[in-house]
Amino acid sequence: MDDAIPFLRFVRPKDATVEPKKAIWVTWLIASVPTLAGNLDHITPIVTMSYLLMYAGINLSCFLLGFLKSPGFRPTFRYFHWSISLIGCVWCLGLAIIISWTMALATIVLVIILYVYNKKQKSEKDWGDVGDSIRYNVVTNTLRELTGTTTEHFHAKNWRPQLLTFVDTDDCGNPTNLHVLSLASQLKLGRGINMVVSIMQRDRLSPANDQVQPSNAAMLGMDFTGGKIVSTDPMLTSSSGTGGGCFDQFEIVELVRHSKVLLQRHMQRENMDGFAEVAATSHSLSEAVWSAVIHTGLGPLSPNTVMLSLPRD
């Protein structure tokens, strides 16, 4: 039992080594009840459509993986070609429609409902998704076509703000000037790319444990009791440090990750899509900001607008 369909968890045995008797009885019930009507033709169309759509889905996955040349897809059949899988997918769908287009349509609708249900339940497994290969292939091909171009090559009609927003943090990694983030979220109708960056200076860092602001505690799944922050997620709790620039490398990485999680949660609260990144530097803040402006982005997808709060110093 792999929890692929969450509402069937009740048939899963508590111990993985035990025979799944509940699942066997449920399968027997589903297969036997229709036969009690005295005519197997009542269940035959459903079984036939399920098998045909299953094989159509397998062939479609093989076609996409073969066509996109996914490095993890290595079929052992020497004469395999993606066109064979495409023909198999079309053949299965054609047979389903010829046999009974109404049952084929009903089965397709059921498959779509199960897919949407699994997506909403976030029951994703580490099996790999062919959709990721498609998106990656589209992005890489588009970037290759844009090789040698910059934001200056865009016509004025196609110009859109590609925003790089700097959000300040306190000594504990908590984002502070959130008004800048709110202003940046109001520009999302420009359909550009939002990049949000926070830069922390190492010599000013302090242990984040027990110093998370109450407004940020709920975002990290923490409890604020008696003026003290208690984390319910051990991965978000900073390791013990002595503060005052005495952080070791591991503690700095944990503090940066803690700050990045907070920054992403604030972006979600502002309904802001984009990419967030937090970095710690030993150099001056102005040099780090200038370096981020220069190196952020990729080719024509580099920021053309920079937003930051007024300097306090």
Side-chain angles (χ1 to χ4, degrees):
M1 302 298 293
D2 50 22
D3 285 337
I5 304 179
F7 67 79
L8 291 179
R9 289 174 181 167
F10 71 95
V11 301
R12 182 183 61 181
K14 296 182 179 180
D15 189 356
T17 60
V18 178
E19 186 176 359
K21 295 182 180 180
K22 290 183 180 180
I24 295 174
W25 280 108
V26 171
T27 305
W28 172 85
L29 183 64
I30 295 174
S32 300
V33 169
T35 62
L36 297 179
N39 190 351
L40 290 178
D41 291 338
H42 292 157
I43 193 175
T44 300
I46 301 176
V47 175
T48 302
M49 296 304 160
S50 299
Y51 273 105
L52 285 175
L53 289 181
M54 179 186 68
Y55 288 123
I58 294 174
N59 279 286
L60 178 61
S61 297
C62 292
F63 157 66
L64 292 173
L65 291 172
F67 181 77
L68 298 175
K69 298 180 180 179
S70 178
F73 180 66
R74 296 183 292 271
T76 57
F77 183 53
R78 182 181 300 179
Y79 304 105
F80 170 81
H81 192 264
W82 57 262
S83 59
I84 300 175
S85 298
L86 178 60
I87 294 173
C89 177
V90 175
W91 186 269
C92 291
L93 291 176
L95 284 177
I97 294 173
I98 291 172
I99 293 172
S100 175
W101 69 270
T102 54
M103 288 301 301
L105 181 61
T107 308
I108 292 174
V109 171
L110 178 61
V111 171
I112 294 174
I113 292 174
L114 288 175
Y115 176 79
V116 174
Y117 170 75
N118 284 344
K119 279 294 184 180
K120 289 186 176 181
Q121 295 293 322
K122 298 181 179 180
S123 57
E124 298 179 358
K125 298 298 179 180
D126 191 20
W127 298 333
D129 187 356
V130 68
D132 293 337
S133 297
I134 296 175
R135 287 188 290 269
Y136 180 81
N137 189 265
V138 170
V139 170
T140 52
N141 288 336
T142 303
L143 287 175
R144 289 193 187 101
E145 293 176 359
L146 294 175
T147 301
T149 62
T150 63
T151 55
E152 297 178 355
H153 291 83
F154 284 105
H155 192 273
K157 295 180 180 179
N158 299 323
W159 188 92
R160 58 191 63 194
Q162 294 175 175
L163 198 60
L164 175 62
T165 305
F166 288 94
V167 177
D168 297 335
T169 60
D170 58 17
D171 297 343
C172 303
N174 299 305
T176 54
N177 59 332
L178 297 177
H179 57 279
V180 177
L181 201 62
S182 299
L183 179 59
S185 67
Q186 298 176 21
L187 302 177
K188 61 184 177 182
L189 293 180
R191 305 297 181 185
I193 297 177
N194 290 314
M195 293 160 278
V196 182
V197 176
S198 289
I199 298 176
M200 299 186 296
Q201 293 182 282
R202 296 192 180 192
D203 56 347
R204 296 183 179 180
L205 297 181
S206 300
N209 192 26
D210 297 337
Q211 297 187 41
V212 182
Q213 295 178 359
S215 59
N216 295 323
M219 292 188 178
L220 289 173
M222 296 180 175
D223 297 327
F224 185 70
T225 306
K228 182 178 180 180
I229 299 295
V230 180
S231 176
T232 57
D233 185 356
M235 295 300 293
L236 295 178
T237 303
S238 302
S239 54
S240 60
T242 55
C246 298
F247 273 29
D248 59 25
Q249 188 65 29
F250 175 77
E251 290 171 325
I252 291 177
V253 170
E254 286 296 305
L255 187 61
V256 166
R257 193 171 65 87
H258 151 85
S259 181
K260 183 176 180 179
V261 171
L262 275 177
L263 191 59
Q264 291 172 336
R265 300 290 173 83
H266 282 295
M267 291 175 64
Q268 293 175 1
R269 190 183 65 177
E270 297 290 346
N271 295 322
M272 182 180 181
D273 297 327
F275 306 92
E277 192 59 59
V278 178
T281 180
S282 300
H283 302 281
S284 65
L285 187 61
S286 58
E287 291 181 357
V289 169
W290 181 244
S291 178
V293 171
I294 295 175
H295 296 102
T296 300
L298 186 62
L301 299 182
S302 301
N304 54 23
T305 306
V306 179
M307 182 181 296
L308 65 165
S309 60
L310 292 174
R312 289 171 293 182
D313 298 333

